[in-house]
Amino acid sequence: MDINEAIELLKEKGYKTTGKRKEILSFFADADGYRTAKDLIQYLESSYDGISFDTVYRNLHLYNEIGILETTELNGEKHFRINCTHHHHHHFICKDCGKTKEIKVCPMDEVEQALADYAIEGHKFEIYGRCPGCKLALT
């Protein structure tokens, strides 16, 4: 999803597209992977002195709820990224820097066979580790 699609979705759902909301979208559009609320607050503080945690969290949860952002739990903290649902895929997520790499393989064919009598309503498949840059930094 790009910024213009996200803005249109906000408008369709009846939400205003303020400068702050657009700046939040820009932050995630430019990010290479998942980012935390703290990352966003640090980014916004230069433009919005004294921006509140409540404002940031409220917008993050709104964006997640309407499908602009997707979330994952990493190191005990919620991380966000622009939703890239143009096609079905999964991610490798670097535990150090949050960068993601798309994984084109999906284990659901095997899982559906193993759970043939079950009604599967959704799934999420993520692999965690260190990207080449972070792995190199450890050595």
Side-chain angles (χ1 to χ4, degrees):
M1 177 175 298
D2 67 23
I3 293 176
N4 294 326
E5 291 172 313
I7 290 170
E8 282 306 309
L9 186 55
L10 277 171
K11 288 178 184 176
E12 285 172 22
K13 300 287 184 179
Y15 295 99
K16 293 179 183 177
T17 53
T18 63
K20 199 176 294 178
R21 285 190 170 154
K22 289 178 183 177
E23 205 159 336
I24 291 170
L25 292 172
S26 293
F27 172 76
F28 285 103
D30 294 341
D32 182 14
Y34 285 92
R35 297 291 174 256
T36 65
K38 279 188 236 172
D39 296 333
L40 177 58
I41 289 168
Q42 287 174 344
Y43 171 79
L44 292 174
E45 281 177 336
S46 62
S47 301
Y48 302 96
D49 189 38
I51 188 160
S52 75
F53 284 99
D54 287 345
T55 299
V56 168
Y57 282 104
R58 193 172 40 256
N59 280 289
L60 288 173
H61 290 290
L62 167 66
Y63 287 0
N64 179 243
E65 185 179 305
I66 64 176
I68 293 172
L69 295 179
E70 57 185 50
T71 65
T72 192
E73 190 87 11
L74 188 59
N75 300 326
E77 186 175 13
K78 193 169 260 196
H79 286 60
F80 302 84
R81 71 173 264 138
I82 279 284
N83 196 343
C84 50
T85 57
H86 293 298
H87 62 282
H88 182 81
H89 67 279
H90 301 284
H91 294 117
F92 169 88
I93 303 168
C94 180
K95 292 171 55 178
D96 291 344
C97 70
K99 287 184 182 178
T100 61
K101 178 167 176 52
E102 188 175 306
I103 303 168
K104 298 188 188 309
V105 190
C106 179
M108 282 309 292
D109 291 337
E110 263 184 64
V111 171
E112 286 172 339
Q113 288 176 359
L115 299 173
D117 295 338
Y118 294 79
I120 298 170
E121 296 177 359
H123 72 280
K124 189 172 185 175
F125 179 67
E126 297 172 336
I127 297 175
Y128 302 98
R130 289 185 174 79
C131 69
C134 292
K135 181 182 164 191
L136 188 61
L138 287 175
T139 57

